[in-house]
Amino acid sequence: MDLCEYMDYSPLYLSMWVSVIATVIIAASGTFAAYLLARKRFFGRNALDAFTTLPMILPPTVTGYYLIILLGRNGIIGKHIYDLTGLSIMFTWQAAVIAATVVAMPIMIKSAKAAIESVDREFEKAAFTLGKSEIETFFLVTLPLAKKGLMAGLILSFARALGEFGATIMLAGNIPGKTSTMPLAIYSAVQTGEDTLATTLVIILTIISIAVIYITTRISESGRYNA
Amino acid sequence: MLEINIYRKLTSSNSNEFRLNLDFKCENGITVLFGPSGAGKTLTLDCIAGLETPDSGSISVNGTAYFDSGQNINIPPQKRKVGYLFQDYALFPHLTVYENIVFGLRSKDASEGVDEMLGFLEIRGLKTRYPAQLSGGQAQRVALARALVTRPKILLLDEPFSSLDFIVRSRLRRDLKKLRELIKIPVILVTHNPVEAYSMADTIVVFRHGGVGQIGTPEEVFTKPNSIEVARLVGMSNIFKGKITAIKGDDVIIQGYQEITAQNPGVKIGEEVTWCIRPDNVMVLRENKPVREAVAENLVTGHITEIVPKGASYLLFMGGKLPLEIEIPSHAFERLGLEIGKTIRVSLKKPAVHIIRE
């Protein structure tokens, strides 16, 4: 019996696609937010810190519910999008990306903040006196020195995005081939008794998780600059 | 020339308040900011570099205003052209020596001076190494090269010798002295070590509690401190109270533990003063020899209570009516055959006795 002939691989591709895009968004905005939290003193800093941590604490279905209030057809932002374009983000693959991004973002912000804080400010001061602007200093000094922590944070965020279930099913639903990512597909497969499919997807996710643990450990053990 | 006149208040969470209140000028050459840790020396460097902003005042280098609260001028650190050697050098660990040195250079043609600088500081062979592969002395020369290739208007050195071993230290001292001839910019050096302050400085600015205690040449500051606190900082450990009892021509007689003659700094009879003498200015006289006229001033007798070897010299503690700390060269120590308990006679030469009026 050839498994591949009738097995639907769309959950795997969809999950990868959704997680990769979420991770790209997280890499840019999470690092930026972490830099602000680590280096700047501004009004509402603690509030921002708490707010960005919240999705890590809240049950994902609760986060998903808030996202519906925000982005649903009658939602605070979603209403305007619908009025303008006649489209709603609900039950699209983009909704899955948003759910994954919001839920996985706090992990990145936490690790990136710690990584940036661990970079000695003297290096940044030295770069300033050598004529480099704050942005140049960030890319030439802070980023390379915080690289390890940032990479670890990104990989963990990717893993979290890949496993996202609760917020995704609230916001994007579970439409086969469209929004049914791997965790949702496993759920459906178990519900409908498709044990082979469930097992295959479970094995794939397990392998990816083990790989993530291996890679993050390797990253944190490589100490090139601390000789 | 650096002109600085700033005020900065720091309040930390544990309700300690620190005020930096400075007003001094320094010419080209090496100016040493000398004082105990926590006196605001590094904060001053950070203010000059633009990394910290004073609450009020002004800072200018060669007539260019870096900061002026009255005129709302605050040039960002990037535009100040300050060469800053940080205490731990702050070499970028992810860049090679060469990449570190050219970090501050904008264009290719500006890198002409780099090779010359590498040659002068003898670090040509280190170009491809990473900072973690450098010794302390090498790291410092690399950091110095990095600070100098941008052709700064002023050079700031924060405790440049503190983490170096003895041999490397004296070599760097010579390098810096040589450098001063080469680059005609003001060099501001921070240290808490009196020996470094004395040997490096053209001008010493003594810091106390965030303010300037005294400014002068090393000789002035080390032999004629203007306060007891400065006297202690510069190692003038023999400090006594006394009262002026007589004035004889250019000299005065101080009555304290015993009668002391000193040069008159302009005191009046009956004035309460503090007088002091450096341990290395106390002269131990040879036994059983008639005292020559020239050293027959202020003879004090006592016995040795403690001997501390310091390498090239010995520190003696003399007990008696006037307890003194004495530093004598090792050869003199050996020739005199000194030991604990031995009674000695010393001379406090008149010009070496310094009177502090506070």
Side-chain angles (χ1 to χ4, degrees):
Chain A
M1 192 170 74
D2 191 3
L3 262 177
C4 299
E5 242 170 60
Y6 64 99
M7 206 178 120
D8 180 9
Y9 280 101
S10 74
L12 176 61
Y13 299 137
L14 186 66
S15 262
M16 282 299 173
W17 175 242
V18 165
S19 303
V20 166
I21 293 184
T23 307
V24 170
I25 298 170
I26 288 168
S29 49
T31 308
F32 178 68
Y35 182 77
L36 290 185
L37 291 171
R39 287 293 191 240
K40 300 288 173 188
R41 295 289 167 269
F42 53 90
F43 178 76
R45 180 174 159 272
N46 287 335
L48 178 67
D49 199 359
F51 181 73
T52 53
T53 312
L54 209 54
M56 200 155 83
I57 312 297
L58 285 177
T61 45
V62 175
T63 304
Y65 187 79
Y66 282 127
L67 287 175
I68 292 173
I69 292 176
L70 212 60
L71 298 170
R73 192 177 287 189
N74 293 313
I76 299 164
I77 299 171
K79 192 168 65 186
H80 298 290
I81 297 174
Y82 187 72
D83 288 349
L84 277 171
T85 62
L87 298 170
S88 173
I89 203 158
M90 297 285 291
F91 309 115
T92 61
W93 68 265
Q94 288 93 338
V97 170
I98 289 170
T101 304
V102 169
V103 172
M105 183 77 83
I107 297 171
M108 178 60 186
I109 293 181
K110 289 274 168 252
S111 343
K113 185 173 168 240
I116 291 168
E117 276 169 348
S118 74
V119 176
D120 194 335
R121 295 221 68 172
E122 294 270 289
F123 295 129
E124 290 166 357
K125 286 181 177 180
F128 291 164
T129 64
L130 291 166
K132 299 296 183 201
S133 70
E134 190 171 354
I135 294 169
E136 286 172 313
T137 301
F138 175 76
F139 284 105
L140 294 171
V141 176
T142 318
L143 199 64
L145 292 179
K147 201 171 65 185
K148 259 165 60 175
L150 296 178
M151 285 306 294
L154 266 187
I155 290 165
L156 287 172
S157 299
F158 176 79
R160 179 67 189 86
L162 203 60
E164 174 31 43
F165 182 90
T168 310
I169 203 164
M170 299 285 284
L171 198 68
N174 187 3
I175 307 164
K178 201 176 166 206
T179 67
S180 183
T181 55
M182 271 199 285
L184 299 171
I186 292 169
Y187 175 73
S188 304
V190 172
Q191 293 287 302
T192 54
E194 295 170 82
D195 288 347
T196 325
L197 179 61
T199 312
T200 314
L201 290 173
V202 162
I203 289 170
I204 292 171
L205 271 185
T206 307
I207 290 170
I208 294 174
S209 301
I210 291 169
V212 163
I213 293 170
Y214 177 74
I215 294 168
T216 45
T217 315
R218 282 295 298 271
I219 288 176
S220 59
E221 274 173 0
S222 68
R224 185 176 143 207
Y225 309 130
N226 318 325
Chain B
M1 189 171 77
L2 166 76
E3 289 167 89
I4 182 166
N5 175 359
I6 51 167
Y7 176 78
R8 170 81 200 262
K9 192 168 118 180
L10 289 182
T11 14
S12 56
S13 50
N14 49 13
S15 79
N16 283 332
E17 213 176 67
F18 179 78
R19 284 160 206 273
L20 184 72
N21 198 347
L22 299 174
D23 187 359
F24 66 88
K25 285 179 194 177
C26 38
E27 305 290 332
N28 294 2
I30 300 178
T31 301
V32 169
L33 309 186
F34 170 69
S37 37
K41 304 185 299 288
T42 299
L43 181 60
T44 306
L45 292 190
D46 283 354
C47 285
I48 296 169
L51 299 170
E52 290 279 346
T53 307
D55 295 334
S56 63
S58 62
I59 299 169
S60 77
V61 172
N62 298 328
T64 310
Y66 279 11
F67 176 78
D68 194 326
S69 57
Q71 296 181 57
N72 264 332
I73 297 172
N74 188 10
I75 312 260
Q78 289 86 352
K79 298 236 158 69
R80 289 196 184 196
K81 290 195 142 291
V82 161
Y84 199 151
L85 185 73
F86 291 85
Q87 191 171 358
D88 301 315
Y89 318 133
L91 290 175
F92 305 121
H94 59 299
L95 302 179
T96 63
V97 164
Y98 187 77
E99 287 165 338
N100 262 284
I101 291 171
V102 299
F103 186 86
L105 297 175
R106 283 284 162 194
S107 58
K108 280 276 186 310
D109 46 82
S111 62
E112 269 175 28
V114 173
D115 204 54
E116 200 185 330
M117 189 64 68
L118 291 171
F120 173 72
L121 291 165
E122 294 171 42
I123 47 176
R124 249 193 211 121
L126 307 174
K127 272 187 188 179
T128 55
R129 293 213 199 159
Y130 281 93
Q133 300 165 311
L134 301 176
S135 71
Q138 291 170 333
Q140 185 172 56
R141 275 177 282 149
V142 172
L144 198 56
R146 186 179 68 175
L148 287 172
V149 288
T150 55
R151 307 199 178 280
K153 299 269 185 263
I154 182 168
L155 181 63
L156 310 175
L157 310 169
D158 192 0
E159 299 274 6
F161 307 103
S162 59
S163 52
L164 300 176
D165 61 57
F166 185 73
I167 298 161
V168 184
R169 236 178 235 224
S170 58
R171 189 206 148 147
L172 264 155
R173 258 182 227 165
R174 275 183 282 125
D175 279 355
L176 278 178
K177 284 269 189 185
K178 206 160 57 166
L179 205 71
R180 188 189 51 174
E181 312 294 316
L182 216 71
I183 49 164
K184 304 254 179 263
I185 56 170
V187 178
I188 315 292
L189 188 154
V190 157
T191 184
H192 62 262
N193 181 329
V195 178
E196 267 159 35
Y198 191 87
S199 64
M200 294 302 300
D202 294 310
T203 308
I204 292 184
V205 180
V206 183
F207 272 55
R208 59 191 269 224
H209 313 309
V212 176
Q214 187 172 0
I215 302 183
T217 63
E219 291 74 22
E220 276 165 13
V221 172
F222 275 70
T223 59
K224 300 196 170 3
N226 64 3
S227 66
I228 297 173
E229 215 172 332
V230 173
R232 289 216 176 92
L233 283 173
V234 298
M236 209 171 221
S237 31
N238 300 306
I239 303 172
F240 304 97
K241 293 277 177 206
K243 191 175 182 177
I244 307 292
T245 53
I247 296 178
K248 286 183 186 169
D250 290 337
D251 297 341
V252 291
I253 307 292
I254 314 162
Q255 198 57 251
Y257 299 79
Q258 84 170 62
E259 196 168 276
I260 295 291
T261 310
Q263 285 170 342
N264 189 358
V267 291
K268 289 190 282 292
I269 289 179
E271 206 175 313
E272 299 277 352
V273 295
T274 303
W275 66 274
C276 48
I277 184 162
R278 297 192 63 81
D280 42 296
N281 274 334
V282 178
M283 190 184 286
V284 180
L285 303 175
R286 299 183 74 164
E287 294 172 281
N288 314 322
K289 268 209 161 183
V291 179
R292 280 184 293 125
E293 186 77 22
V295 296
E297 291 156 350
N298 300 323
L299 296 177
V300 184
T301 314
H303 59 277
I304 298 173
T305 58
E306 199 185 334
I307 297 172
V308 182
K310 285 181 73 180
S313 66
Y314 279 84
L315 206 57
L316 312 175
F317 291 88
M318 188 183 89
K321 209 165 73 172
L322 188 71
L324 287 170
E325 197 177 312
I326 305 160
E327 188 173 349
I328 62 167
S330 299
H331 61 85
F333 177 86
E334 276 145 30
R335 198 184 53 212
L336 291 162
L338 299 175
E339 57 194 24
I340 288 180
K342 190 166 181 174
T343 300
I344 53 169
R345 196 154 54 138
V346 301
S347 161
L348 312 181
K349 287 188 72 182
K350 214 166 58 183
V353 177
H354 172 63
I355 295 175
I356 296 170
R357 307 170 71 190
E358 264 188 307

